[in-house]
Amino acid sequence: MTDMVERLRGVVEGPVLAPEDDAYAQEVTGFNLAAQHSPEVAVGVTSEADAVAAVRAAAEAGKPVRVLATGHGSPVPITDGVLINTSRLTGVTVDADAKLAHIAAGSRWADVIAAAGEHGLAPVIGASDAVGCIGYTLGGGVGPLSRTYGFSSDWARSFRVVTADGEAVTASATEHPDLFWALRGGKGGLGLVTAMDFALVELSTLYGGSVFFDADDIAAVFGAWAAWTKTLPATANTSVVVLRLPPLEVIPEPLRGKTVLSVRFAFVGDPAEGERLFQPIRAAGTAIIDGVGEMPATDIALIHNDPKDPTPAFDRGLVLTDVDPGFVSAFLDAVGPQQQLPLIAIEIRYLGGAMNRDVPEGSAAGGRSSAYSLVLIGVPDPSLFETVLPGVVDGVLAGLRDWIATEAIVNFDAAFSFPGSYEACWPADTFARLAEVRATYDPDKVFPFGPA
């Protein structure tokens, strides 16, 4: 690999690092500290030209290429080939008249939110503003406004992509439309995206936030939430999460060391109507913290308030067919406050609405018919990741099997952690078409993707 390192250093302006180099460990570390990457060489690209040169060199040497930006979606250790880090490719410019953001590959959603907010605009993002824009969007992207506006990938208008032959191309509805179709939800194995143009919505405020209930109210509030979701219009978005919080000072005192239920809400429209719609949740229990109200759209990440600092992470995500009274009972039996489980969060999101409708030109986003999603997050202790947490999660899911859908959403299970989960991320015809597009643009699998 020494020849490869020297060759790359001759054509790439950014750092090219071998495992023995001091800066190597930092270059290959992402948000999920449990995924300890050890590629043969790491390349920190600083431009599209760097990306082109790195991909060409790797392809000519027969080395696989994988991409890292923030590392939120990299749960499986990378142990071979070339890892290209795009975190230095940052920058967001907004064309307010066109309601369009040009987003470089290493940018995070916080950058886009700030730039768009100056013009009364907002991106349709996920739960966290610390997540990288590109990897999230390639997987479709489900966030606090998805019932109202659809998958985040529905708002992508074009991508700049370095393909497996080392060519930089634009993929859009008019240029390389097959690749554009695949990039909007197909996730990986399609090339290295260096930038995208992303449409923005007119949104300066919304009615939303989170409300927290103590353990004694969990059963009543969760049952009310399940019934309440059946009544909501597509302008209303919600999720619910059981949290087992440690007794740490960084956690607000009313929540510290407790098992609580949080209901998240985001409504696009008249705040008075949002308040009226949310009233059944407030009436279902006694809130210990109520943070739901009119808020700037630039504060949307506070609804979920996901952690921003890197941490070891274990999670399992899947899709549910329904959340009916039978599910409510089974869910509370499995993960309610009486259970002692090494799970810090068990979240259910209400899906549907605009997510059910594909964009006019079509896209590869899977899970459009999904009703609810379920994500289980383990305590951040890597010693439990190999056997303990998988066993706990399997036990929980065994009690919920009657409500588990056959489909999946790729961003919720990027590790493809059980047989068939990769194929389940897309309808059969979409999965087959994705395979054709990958074979067209990457016949030699320079960008490997899918279960090993």
Side-chain angles (χ1 to χ4, degrees), residues 88-177:
R88 293 171 182 81
L89 291 177
T90 58
V92 177
T93 57
V94 172
D95 182 334
D97 292 334
K99 300 176 188 173
L100 198 69
H102 181 75
I103 305 170
S107 301
R108 299 171 186 246
W109 284 117
D111 307 323
V112 187
I113 291 169
E118 295 179 5
H119 306 281
L121 301 171
V124 178
I125 73 161
S128 171
D129 62 359
V131 169
C133 302
I134 301 298
Y136 163 85
T137 303
L138 294 180
V142 178
L145 298 177
S146 290
R147 281 179 43 79
T148 306
Y149 294 112
F151 283 93
S152 296
S153 59
D154 295 345
W155 295 84
R157 295 295 177 261
S158 69
F159 298 91
R160 285 291 292 175
V161 190
V162 180
T163 57
D165 58 4
E167 296 295 324
V169 303
T170 296
S172 69
T174 56
E175 299 178 78
H176 300 282

Side-chain angles (χ1 to χ4, degrees), residues 76-394:
V76 178
I78 297 165
T79 59
D80 63 351
V82 177
L83 177 63
I84 297 180
N85 187 320
T86 62
S87 63
R88 293 171 182 81
L89 291 177
T90 58
V92 177
T93 57
V94 172
D95 182 334
D97 292 334
K99 300 176 188 173
L100 198 69
H102 181 75
I103 305 170
S107 301
R108 299 171 186 246
W109 284 117
D111 307 323
V112 187
I113 291 169
E118 295 179 5
H119 306 281
L121 301 171
V124 178
I125 73 161
S128 171
D129 62 359
V131 169
C133 302
I134 301 298
Y136 163 85
T137 303
L138 294 180
V142 178
L145 298 177
S146 290
R147 281 179 43 79
T148 306
Y149 294 112
F151 283 93
S152 296
S153 59
D154 295 345
W155 295 84
R157 295 295 177 261
S158 69
F159 298 91
R160 285 291 292 175
V161 190
V162 180
T163 57
D165 58 4
E167 296 295 324
V169 303
T170 296
S172 69
T174 56
E175 299 178 78
H176 300 282
D178 54 342
L179 181 58
F180 181 57
W181 171 88
L183 290 166
R184 290 207 286 182
K187 193 64 175 179
L190 298 161
L192 188 161
V193 175
T194 61
M196 72 173 171
D197 286 343
F198 193 86
L200 306 169
V201 300
E202 291 186 18
L203 187 68
S204 56
T205 64
L206 55 90
Y207 186 87
S210 301
V211 60
F212 295 84
F213 298 91
D214 215 337
D216 289 344
D217 279 329
I218 287 179
V221 176
F222 180 62
W225 180 86
W228 175 67
T229 61
K230 314 297 186 186
T231 70
L232 292 178
T235 47
N237 303 261
T238 186
S239 63
V240 66
V241 58
V242 176
L243 297 168
R244 288 177 167 81
L245 299 168
L248 302 177
E249 291 188 4
V250 295
I251 296 171
E253 194 279 330
L255 308 178
R256 199 174 299 158
K258 292 184 177 181
T259 296
V260 299
L261 184 81
S262 175
V263 178
R264 291 91 161 245
F265 187 61
F267 174 75
V268 178
D270 182 358
E273 177 63 8
E275 183 174 11
R276 185 193 69 79
L277 283 171
F278 195 66
Q279 184 55 33
I281 297 302
R282 288 194 166 108
T286 301
I288 51 178
I289 295 178
D290 187 340
V292 176
E294 189 171 8
M295 63 189 298
T298 51
D299 285 346
I300 191 168
L302 296 179
I303 294 175
H304 283 240
N305 202 26
D306 283 357
K308 298 181 184 294
D309 295 329
T311 184
F314 174 96
D315 60 73
R316 177 93 58 89
L318 42 82
V319 169
L320 302 171
T321 57
D322 196 7
V323 172
D324 58 17
F327 176 87
V328 170
S329 178
F331 181 82
L332 292 171
D333 285 346
V335 302
Q338 76 282 2
Q339 301 294 339
Q340 299 297 315
L341 300 170
L343 300 173
I344 58 172
I346 306 99
E347 177 200 71
I348 299 174
R349 299 189 192 188
Y350 181 40
L351 308 179
M355 295 178 65
N356 294 152
R357 300 186 299 273
D358 201 356
V359 290
E361 61 273 21
S363 74
R368 287 199 181 273
S369 63
S370 302
Y372 298 82
S373 65
L374 170 67
V375 177
L376 304 99
I377 301 174
V379 297
D381 180 352
S383 69
L384 305 180
F385 287 8
E386 186 173 348
T387 58
V388 174
L389 283 171
V392 169
V393 168
D394 287 345

